[in-house]
Amino acid sequence: MSIVQETRTALLELFPELAAAEAEARAAAEAAALAEEAVEADTETEAVEQVASPDGSGEGEASAEETSSAEAESKEKAEVKKAGKQEKEEEGPRQSGILDLEHSDRGVHLDVLLDPDLVVRAAEILDGLGFSLEAVTGVDWIKDNRMEVIYDYNHTGGELCRVVVRTFISRENPEIATISEVFPGANWHERETHDFFGIVFTGHPCLEPLLLPEDADFHPLLKDFKP
């Protein structure tokens, strides 16, 4: 199992409903594959029997062709339905869960959206898998009256895997638990994010200004900041 697959499997702990749905989908896919193998075996048997029959060779070929055509049509319909479902999902708001991405396209392998109360557990899982914390930052979605907190993780121990973990909190009360007890390096990242966005990392040992003056009462990366 690759580190990407191992990480994804471990993070599924945070999404029990998603884990159950994926397990059900795998079981259905396996059942469908077995059924398809059975159909193919029956088709081959019928073809052999028809070839062996002096007056039925044509019927055997026709039967095999019809079965093959029906299977191809069924697969095509399934692909169209799947594509339509994916397009519809992309149009709507993103739900909590894990996105599998191409590192060559997006720079990350896994994009995880979760509830704020799960960020510490996510950090613990990634720490246990040998990840390091690269950055913590924020985004001010002022029109939605919420803040986004983003954590970038990297695994370079033999096999590359980059994971982004993101969550949303209220803009009016921008608080979220610190992960500095899991990743001590988060101490400075969280202080910087607090400087720029005013996000309060509860439980932080020393949430004092890192880059701004000690008496600063402003957060320059908020959308409504006026110098």
Side-chain angles (χ1 to χ4, degrees):
M1 180 182 294
S2 70
I3 184 60
V4 176
Q5 293 172 321
E6 183 180 359
T7 302
R8 191 184 192 285
T9 300
L11 289 171
L12 276 177
E13 170 196 315
L14 306 174
F15 309 99
E17 292 183 1
L18 176 61
E22 291 191 358
E24 184 178 346
R26 283 195 300 271
E30 291 173 0
L34 291 174
E36 185 175 348
E37 290 177 3
V39 170
E40 291 177 354
D42 290 342
T43 301
E44 291 176 0
T45 301
E46 291 177 3
V48 171
E49 291 176 351
Q50 292 293 341
V51 169
S53 174
D55 58 350
S57 58
E59 294 179 3
E61 292 176 0
S63 176
E65 290 177 359
E66 290 174 0
T67 301
S68 178
S69 177
E71 290 177 356
E73 184 178 354
S74 177
K75 289 181 180 179
E76 183 178 354
K77 288 181 179 179
E79 290 296 329
V80 171
K81 183 177 180 181
K82 181 179 179 181
K85 182 179 179 181
Q86 289 178 340
E87 183 177 352
K88 184 177 181 181
E89 290 176 347
E90 290 174 358
E91 290 176 354
R94 180 181 169 186
Q95 303 297 316
S96 296
I98 304 172
L99 288 181
D100 301 283
L101 303 175
E102 290 293 334
H103 180 265
S104 58
D105 294 334
R106 303 292 294 275
V108 297
H109 297 87
L110 301 173
D111 187 323
V112 184
L113 175 62
L114 42 66
D115 294 335
D117 58 353
L118 293 175
V119 294
V120 175
R121 181 56 190 145
E124 292 172 344
I125 291 173
L126 294 171
D127 180 46
L129 292 172
F131 279 77
S132 59
L133 177 69
E134 287 188 339
V136 180
T137 189
V139 181
D140 179 14
W141 297 101
I142 189 170
K143 292 183 178 180
D144 298 328
N145 196 33
R146 62 180 184 171
M147 307 284 288
E148 184 176 8
V149 188
I150 303 170
Y151 305 81
D152 291 312
Y153 295 95
N154 193 13
H155 184 282
T156 56
E159 188 177 357
L160 176 65
C161 180
R162 300 194 72 245
V163 177
V164 57
V165 174
R166 61 183 80 239
T167 190
F168 291 96
I169 57 177
S170 167
R171 193 175 189 274
E172 296 176 354
N173 185 31
E175 293 187 358
I176 192 168
T178 180
I179 63 167
S180 59
E181 292 186 2
V182 183
F183 289 97
N187 186 310
W188 283 26
H189 291 297
E190 292 177 349
R191 287 173 63 190
E192 179 183 19
T193 304
H194 177 259
D195 277 0
F196 291 142
F197 296 94
I199 296 172
V200 177
F201 294 89
T202 58
H204 192 286
C206 184
L207 199 61
E208 297 179 354
L210 178 66
L211 301 175
L212 296 181
E214 292 184 2
D215 59 348
D217 59 354
F218 57 88
H219 305 287
L221 292 188
L222 291 177
K223 296 291 178 62
D224 54 0
F225 169 70
K226 296 180 180 179

